[in-house]
Amino acid sequence: MAKARTPAAFVCRECGAAHRKWAGRCDACGAWNAIEEETALSAAGPASRSLGGARGRVLELSALSGTEPDPPRLAVGVEELDRVLGGGLVPASAILVGGDPGIGKSTLLLQAAAAFARRGAKTIYVTGEEASAQVRMRAARLGLAEAPVLLAAETNLRDVLTTLEAERPAVAIVDSIQTMWADNVDSAPGSVSQVRAAAHELTSFAKRRGVSVIMVGHVTKDGQIAGPRVVEHMVDTVLYFEGERGHQFRILRAVKNRFGPASEIGVFEMTGKGLKQVLNPSALFLSDRETTAPGSAVFAGLEGTRPVLVEFQALVAPAQPGSARRAVVGWDSSRLAMLLAVLEARCGVSLAQHDVYLNVAGGLRVSEPAADLAVAAALLGAVRGAAAPADAVVFGEISLSGALRPAPQPDLRLREAEKLGFRAALTPSQVKLAAKSGMTVRRFDDLAQFVGQVFAEG
């Protein structure tokens, strides 16, 4: 009898969604011509659904109340990077770093590799995208040519793992995971199968040999790491390198971290000598602020455990009937639409016949709901032609009913604002402060009260 053919699997190379048959467009992410057939690693499968009568080994069980110490960390020496990692690099950890092309991933990791090597940790940098000469040129430009980093240019995963097995480094950097190919997987490099297999093998090697492996991942047009999302679940830490090409600021954000707080950020500035860490990002984000310009408000935000002050800028202009535009940079556009509806329904401020432009100064992307009140202050200042109090910070979440909800950890926000010279804060009335602040705190019950007292017409 002929052997039953193993059913083919079709996977989208953009988002990793599985499909039962080929189609021209992925139903999950909407990408065209992105679905490809995934060949199984082995055509043979289990004869039955059960494991049979063979017994496995008995696992060693332990109690929750153990005395095992925390794993030692290898500090990079770059404070911003150590902060995002949760205090340093944990041995036997697998880290995935994603970001747009040209954003500075290779520059950051080469600087980190040099810092690790200078601290006595054996470091290997494997590049699959560039020749060794190109990496040496970058190292010379950054002043890192004398750092004792071991360099290799290779894309064969088997050769890379064999080299790491022989050298036993403390840190291994693979740039990038999309260029690695495993010879036991019958698909092209960069495909879903290859990316998944390479990430699995490198992560398994990190756990088995106690080596910290850092992998670079490309991103799609939507800003997600290319390949199946299962790659993010394999690794211990996922970092995204964010920033605008035309801006000098770069933000390294921890999306997932098993050894530290998620959503922690580190701020860097791109210079001719590489990435320079910014120890006080709030002062840098507000350095070019115009205090008397209408349509701006300073938001006292929280990124992970770090308070960050950023400026929201809004512009409102008359639009042609039926063609009002909404343009947002650095904030959620759907949340802006919700906020505009609340302003109209609860406060009588209609912007339906106006173009609305909203921008977060400095290139930072804000996702915290507590930014609602600052956005409302910027919009109201733009439509009324009045500036928000120049010495005040604003934070608070707005509900659909128009009520104001408190933001977590207000003391941290106020301390950061006071340190930068702000003297007042506009907050929801339910905000509770653990310590007495030197700032004047103005409290509001709902959005209508906020509009009437801060942006009263006339």
Side-chain angles (χ1 to χ4, degrees):
M1 293 178 62
K3 290 184 178 180
R5 186 178 183 272
T6 303
F10 295 88
V11 181
C12 175
R13 64 171 176 266
E14 295 291 338
C15 65
H19 299 265
R20 303 179 70 177
K21 61 181 182 179
W22 185 88
R25 183 175 184 268
C26 175
D27 296 332
C29 66
W32 287 92
N33 297 324
I35 298 177
E36 57 188 21
E37 183 176 355
E38 182 182 34
T39 305
L41 296 182
S42 175
S48 63
R49 291 175 179 265
S50 67
L51 294 176
R55 291 181 175 270
R57 62 183 179 88
V58 178
L59 300 179
E60 182 181 353
L61 305 178
S62 59
L64 289 176
S65 58
T67 58
E68 186 176 348
D70 294 335
R73 292 179 181 265
L74 178 61
V76 187
V78 181
E79 186 176 336
E80 292 297 295
L81 184 55
D82 284 332
R83 171 194 291 272
V84 177
L85 291 173
L89 201 60
V90 177
S93 61
I95 299 171
L96 185 63
V97 180
D100 294 329
I103 203 70
K105 301 185 298 296
S106 299
T107 300
L108 174 67
L109 293 181
L110 186 58
Q111 291 181 238
F116 284 130
R118 286 169 175 168
R119 286 175 170 259
K122 188 175 183 179
T123 305
I124 294 180
Y125 189 100
V126 180
T127 175
E129 298 186 341
E130 301 174 296
S132 299
Q134 292 175 291
V135 179
R136 292 191 184 98
M137 289 173 59
R138 181 185 296 116
R141 177 173 58 85
L142 300 177
L144 306 175
E146 302 302 322
V149 177
L150 302 177
L151 178 63
E154 184 56 62
T155 59
N156 189 316
L157 182 63
R158 190 179 298 274
D159 294 343
V160 170
L161 290 175
T162 302
T163 303
L164 296 180
E165 190 82 35
E167 295 290 337
R168 296 290 180 88
V171 181
I173 299 174
V174 179
D175 185 7
S176 67
I177 189 66
Q178 275 82 8
T179 60
M180 296 292 119
W181 65 275
D183 52 21
N184 64 323
V185 179
D186 189 16
S187 60
S191 63
V192 173
S193 302
Q194 287 284 2
V195 171
R196 184 187 304 170
H200 172 71
E201 292 293 341
L202 288 169
T203 303
S204 299
F205 173 80
K207 305 300 181 185
R208 187 174 65 251
R209 295 302 182 190
V211 178
S212 298
V213 177
I214 304 176
M215 298 171 276
V216 177
H218 294 168
V219 298
T220 64
K221 59 184 179 182
D222 297 326
Q224 304 294 328
I225 292 179
R229 296 303 297 267
V230 70
V231 173
E232 298 188 11
H233 303 317
M234 287 180 186
V235 298
D236 301 307
T237 303
V238 179
L239 308 179
Y240 276 98
F241 210 35
E242 306 170 355
E244 299 292 334
R245 289 269 185 106
H247 245 289
Q248 73 270 30
F249 303 135
R250 301 289 186 269
I251 292 96
L252 185 66
R253 187 186 303 273
V255 178
K256 168 189 174 183
N257 194 353
R258 289 174 178 161
F259 309 110
S263 299
E264 192 70 75
I265 68 166
V267 183
F268 298 86
E269 183 180 6
M270 179 63 78
T271 66
K273 294 294 184 180
L275 289 163
K276 179 182 178 183
Q277 60 178 340
V278 178
L279 298 180
N280 190 354
S282 298
L284 199 58
F285 287 143
L286 300 177
S287 58
D288 299 327
R289 175 172 173 252
E290 297 180 17
T291 56
T292 58
S296 69
V298 177
F299 167 57
L302 205 62
E303 296 289 344
T305 60
R306 159 183 277 183
V308 178
L309 269 60
V310 293
E311 181 186 11
F312 277 92
Q313 301 170 342
L315 177 63
V316 175
Q320 295 295 329
S323 62
R325 294 190 58 193
R326 305 287 185 261
V328 186
V329 177
W331 205 53
D332 187 9
S333 57
S334 60
R335 199 160 186 90
L336 174 62
M338 182 203 76
L339 189 56
L340 292 175
V342 174
L343 282 171
E344 181 172 0
R346 307 300 180 189
C347 306
V349 180
S350 177
L351 297 176
Q353 302 301 323
H354 293 77
D355 292 333
V356 177
Y357 302 91
L358 183 68
N359 176 52
V360 180
L364 181 67
R365 178 163 185 82
V366 178
S367 58
E368 194 181 2
D372 290 349
L373 195 58
V375 174
L379 292 173
L380 291 166
V383 74
R384 298 278 173 87
D391 61 344
V393 295
V394 189
F395 60 90
E397 183 181 353
I398 300 175
S399 66
L400 291 178
S401 64
L404 301 184
R405 296 175 178 173
Q409 303 188 42
D411 296 278
L412 275 178
R413 305 171 194 263
L414 294 183
R415 279 200 298 269
E416 179 73 8
E418 188 176 9
K419 186 170 62 176
L420 292 177
F422 289 89
R423 295 291 175 261
L426 311 180
T427 71
S429 58
Q430 299 177 6
V431 166
K432 297 180 180 179
L433 301 177
K436 187 176 181 180
S437 174
M439 300 179 63
T440 302
V441 180
R442 297 180 60 186
R443 305 171 188 267
F444 305 91
D445 294 326
D446 53 31
L447 186 58
Q449 183 185 9
F450 177 82
V451 174
Q453 295 186 13
V454 180
F455 292 95
E457 292 183 292

